[in-house]
Amino acid sequence: MAELPEDVQTTAERLTRLARDAVDSNEAEAYRERRESSLSEHGYTARYREADDTLILYPVEWIDDDGTVVLDRIDDTDRAVELSLSGTGEEDEWAAIEEHNSQLVATVEETAGEDHAANARAFADFMGNHYVRRVETAGTRELREFLTEYYPRNSWPTAAQKTKVRESLELLFEAAGEPFPGVTRTSR
């Protein structure tokens, strides 16, 4: 059977973060349903292991009718995918994430200009350095933390940048091909 495509893994990871961080239980359930729908198209399902903040993706054929993994059905453990939702902080991982995030910042700069790019760069730095994650994996918790804590204290934005920060983040998510999670900014 074919390996689970990386874009499907990334989407599952993002939707799991959004579900984990959602305040509303209906919103969380909607994210989980979208994740399951995406994975089922490839014959996979997901489990979230809260103890170590890990998402596990594995073939549905390994599961019996009551949702239990049947060890005799596991043909190749390499087909399962484990994704840490906390980031590992390994140098190679950080470099790959920084390259990815920088490409998205460059796209924002090309399409929207320097002020938006400065805001996008600040968010890329926040996600890469604090979470060792791609910008588009951010959920409402990370966005809120960025807007209320990191951005005003660490970015030294100009007045023009401050007025555009939410739009800049929306452009960054758009460049990544992901929808922007709803966040209300706390005024400062």
Side-chain angles (χ1 to χ4, degrees), residues 11-24:
T11 298
E13 180 181 356
R14 175 168 159 52
L15 291 170
T16 301
R17 287 180 199 285
L18 291 170
R20 178 194 65 190
D21 298 342
V23 177
D24 181 339

Side-chain angles (χ1 to χ4, degrees), residues 75-92:
D75 55 344
D76 179 6
T77 57
D78 288 341
R79 291 179 58 204
V81 177
E82 286 198 15
L83 302 168
S84 172
L85 300 181
S86 300
T88 64
E90 294 178 19
E91 188 65 31
D92 289 344

Side-chain angles (χ1 to χ4, degrees), residues 105-164:
V105 171
T107 300
V108 169
E109 184 168 24
E110 289 171 17
T111 60
E114 290 181 17
D115 285 338
H116 286 298
N119 287 334
R121 180 73 259 168
F123 188 65
D125 289 344
F126 169 74
M127 287 300 294
N129 294 331
H130 291 276
Y131 290 101
V132 192
R133 291 181 17 214
R134 294 176 173 213
V135 293
E136 69 272 18
T137 66
T140 54
R141 182 180 63 181
E142 292 85 4
L143 287 163
R144 190 172 294 115
E145 180 184 353
F146 172 76
L147 290 170
T148 60
E149 301 293 328
Y150 184 92
Y151 185 73
R153 293 183 182 147
N154 300 302
S155 299
W156 303 285
T158 65
Q161 290 166 351
K162 286 179 187 177
T163 63
K164 297 177 180 182

Side-chain angles (χ1 to χ4, degrees), residues 28-142:
E29 183 59 29
Y31 288 132
R32 285 190 290 272
E33 287 174 5
R34 281 180 49 204
R35 178 190 67 200
E36 288 305 315
S37 175
S38 173
L39 289 170
S40 70
E41 291 175 15
H42 298 276
Y44 272 72
T45 190
R47 293 256 168 98
Y48 172 63
R49 193 168 57 218
E50 191 172 344
D52 62 354
D53 201 25
T54 301
L55 174 65
I56 302 103
L57 310 174
Y58 48 87
V60 293
E61 65 209 41
W62 294 0
I63 312 298
D64 67 11
D65 292 337
D66 69 357
T68 305
V69 174
V70 179
L71 296 178
D72 293 344
R73 294 183 185 174
I74 299 173
D75 55 344
D76 179 6
T77 57
D78 288 341
R79 291 179 58 204
V81 177
E82 286 198 15
L83 302 168
S84 172
L85 300 181
S86 300
T88 64
E90 294 178 19
E91 188 65 31
D92 289 344
E93 180 183 13
W94 182 88
I97 289 168
E98 173 58 24
E99 181 179 341
H100 170 82
N101 289 349
S102 292
Q103 290 172 353
L104 295 176
V105 171
T107 300
V108 169
E109 184 168 24
E110 289 171 17
T111 60
E114 290 181 17
D115 285 338
H116 286 298
N119 287 334
R121 180 73 259 168
F123 188 65
D125 289 344
F126 169 74
M127 287 300 294
N129 294 331
H130 291 276
Y131 290 101
V132 192
R133 291 181 17 214
R134 294 176 173 213
V135 293
E136 69 272 18
T137 66
T140 54
R141 182 180 63 181
E142 292 85 4

